[in-house]
Amino acid sequence: MEKYEKLEKVGEGTYGKVYKAHDKATGQLVALKKTRLEMDEEGIPPTALREVSILQLLSQSIYIVRLLCVEHVEKNGKPILYLVFEFLDTDLKKFIDSYRKGPSARPLPPNVIKSFMYQLCKGVAHCHKHSVLHRDLKPQNLLVDKEKGILKIADLGLGRSFTLPMKSYTHEIVTLWYRAPEVLLGATHYSTGVDMWSVGCIFAEMVRRQALFPGDSELQQLLHIFRLLGTPSEKEWPGVTTLKDWHVYPQWTPQNLARAVPALNEDGVDLLSRMLQFDPAERISAKDAMAHPYFDSLDKSQF
Ligand code: AMP
């Protein structure tokens, strides 16, 4: 690790600290992520190595944060993996915050929202094409190059050998705000729809500059969703009442989604509603989302 000069801590992810660093040989800025793996006697589990290589493969897309290399070091006889990523100046959470706070608070420009949404769908479509689910998409995991107007997905593919804990290593609660209802209801088999739900929540949050469903427990999270979209039944979502954590909930009727995102045009509201379908099988795919009329006015040649 002498190759890198650590500059400052830039974030705390679910799995550990992220440092900004300087590659002494090339002068390039990088983000160093120390991964906390469950080590066994044999060292780094092969599943983790497999996932790192998937990550390396996926990060060929410009909408995925580039994994530059992996450094393997020993500390007190224990193996540690450092993932070395390209460095980006901000994340979508900080980007949205910059429009929310202070004297210059204003809505995000609609063309920026559209461009970021398109890039997000493109990145997610790329992952899904390779059968990789992200499972924890949130504004904090989306890195932004402000200068170039590029959005990239981070914290990807660490889904299986790096199981998602309830609390991060700093005991921070892992956010539930972007979690799909089937995950909250304890579905054991879930698919690409979990990511598309998160994409919908992120879309709404860019428009509102505040979270759509800010729950602070799994139950509260579900109630936030049901209050806006109506309490689901077997009619909208066949099989819902057989999910492990299903209970009897207060009965709400669906509200008008457009009222939750007043600054969004009709096409945008239509796309959002397709991302927030209760039945995961009915939820729009990332690829189909890219072809939605909401994006018709976008110059797609730049992507
Ligand atoms: P993560 O573990 O990916 O959620 O990262 C936690 C935080 O560290 C993010 O919200 C970013 O602010 C920051 N971060 C992660 N990766 C990078 C990167 N490649 N470049 C710059 N900042 C990063």
Side-chain angles (χ1 to χ4, degrees):
M1 292 308 289
E2 298 77 42
K3 283 196 281 187
Y4 305 97
E5 181 194 359
K6 259 191 198 172
L7 298 173
E8 72 217 41
K9 192 174 87 176
V10 288
E12 306 234 350
T14 312
Y15 305 100
K17 294 187 177 113
V18 183
Y19 288 93
K20 181 176 182 176
H22 178 235
D23 182 330
K24 290 179 193 164
T26 64
Q28 190 182 17
L29 284 179
V30 297
L32 289 181
K33 257 177 142 172
K34 185 173 165 181
T35 62
R36 310 201 125 218
L37 293 163
E38 288 301 319
M39 295 297 172
D40 54 26
E41 312 256 292
E42 308 293 311
I44 296 163
T47 49
L49 291 180
R50 197 160 57 233
E51 289 191 8
V52 166
S53 57
I54 292 172
L55 195 56
Q56 220 142 17
L57 171 82
L58 285 176
S59 79
Q60 300 304 313
S61 158
I62 70 157
Y63 303 109
I64 312 283
V65 177
R66 176 73 50 91
L67 177 60
L68 300 169
C69 65
V70 180
E71 302 286 351
H72 179 187
V73 295
E74 296 263 332
K75 204 174 179 182
N76 307 327
K78 280 189 175 170
I80 296 177
L81 275 191
Y82 279 95
L83 304 183
V84 185
F85 292 95
E86 65 173 319
F87 185 83
L88 276 93
D89 50 24
T90 194
D91 64 52
L92 186 62
K93 182 173 189 292
K94 293 180 195 146
F95 185 84
I96 295 173
D97 275 349
S98 71
Y99 282 86
R100 197 161 55 87
K101 294 177 185 158
S104 58
R106 62 194 183 284
L108 273 70
N111 60 327
V112 169
I113 298 177
K114 194 171 289 189
S115 165
F116 280 2
M117 278 304 294
Y118 191 76
Q119 296 177 57
L120 176 55
C121 288
K122 198 155 179 178
V124 171
H126 181 73
C127 296
H128 290 176
K129 195 172 78 187
H130 290 91
S131 308
V132 172
L133 302 182
H134 189 292
R135 305 201 303 174
D136 194 25
L137 287 171
K138 55 189 173 191
Q140 208 189 15
N141 279 339
L142 302 176
L143 302 182
V144 171
D145 181 332
K146 275 194 287 208
E147 207 107 293
K148 297 193 185 128
I150 297 177
L151 177 143
K152 299 186 184 226
I153 300 173
D155 226 8
L156 184 141
L158 302 180
R160 270 152 290 185
S161 55
F162 308 65
T163 47
L164 260 188
M166 260 308 282
K167 293 199 177 164
S168 72
Y169 79 111
T170 48
H171 310 291
E172 239 180 279
I173 306 281
V174 172
T175 185
L176 301 168
W177 300 354
Y178 310 92
R179 202 162 284 184
E182 64 272 27
V183 180
L184 293 164
L185 289 169
T188 45
H189 293 86
Y190 50 81
S191 183
T192 52
V194 297
D195 288 336
M196 293 315 292
W197 180 275
S198 308
V199 169
C201 295
I202 293 163
F203 187 13
E205 187 162 333
M206 280 199 273
V207 175
R208 295 157 49 92
R209 289 172 290 155
Q210 60 183 37
L212 183 62
F213 302 127
D216 50 17
S217 68
E218 301 207 1
L219 177 63
Q220 290 304 325
Q221 188 62 36
L222 281 169
L223 299 185
H224 266 291
I225 297 169
F226 296 170
R227 245 178 254 127
L228 180 66
L229 302 178
T231 309
S233 68
E234 285 288 327
K235 187 165 142 274
E236 298 81 53
W237 184 357
V240 64
T241 59
T242 64
L243 292 174
K244 185 167 71 63
D245 298 323
W246 174 260
H247 295 283
V248 174
Y249 298 95
Q251 290 298 306
W252 284 289
T253 51
Q255 302 298 301
N256 185 348
L257 185 59
R259 266 195 246 145
V261 281
L264 191 59
N265 67 22
E266 207 176 307
D267 284 332
V269 174
D270 183 77
L271 176 57
L272 178 62
S273 75
R274 288 168 197 269
M275 293 172 165
L276 298 179
Q277 289 296 308
F278 272 120
D279 183 351
E282 295 287 318
R283 236 170 266 157
I284 195 167
S285 70
K287 191 157 175 275
D288 288 350
M290 289 168 64
H292 189 277
Y294 170 67
F295 294 116
D296 282 357
S297 63
L298 194 68
D299 172 16
K300 292 177 187 165
S301 66
Q302 56 178 319
F303 299 107

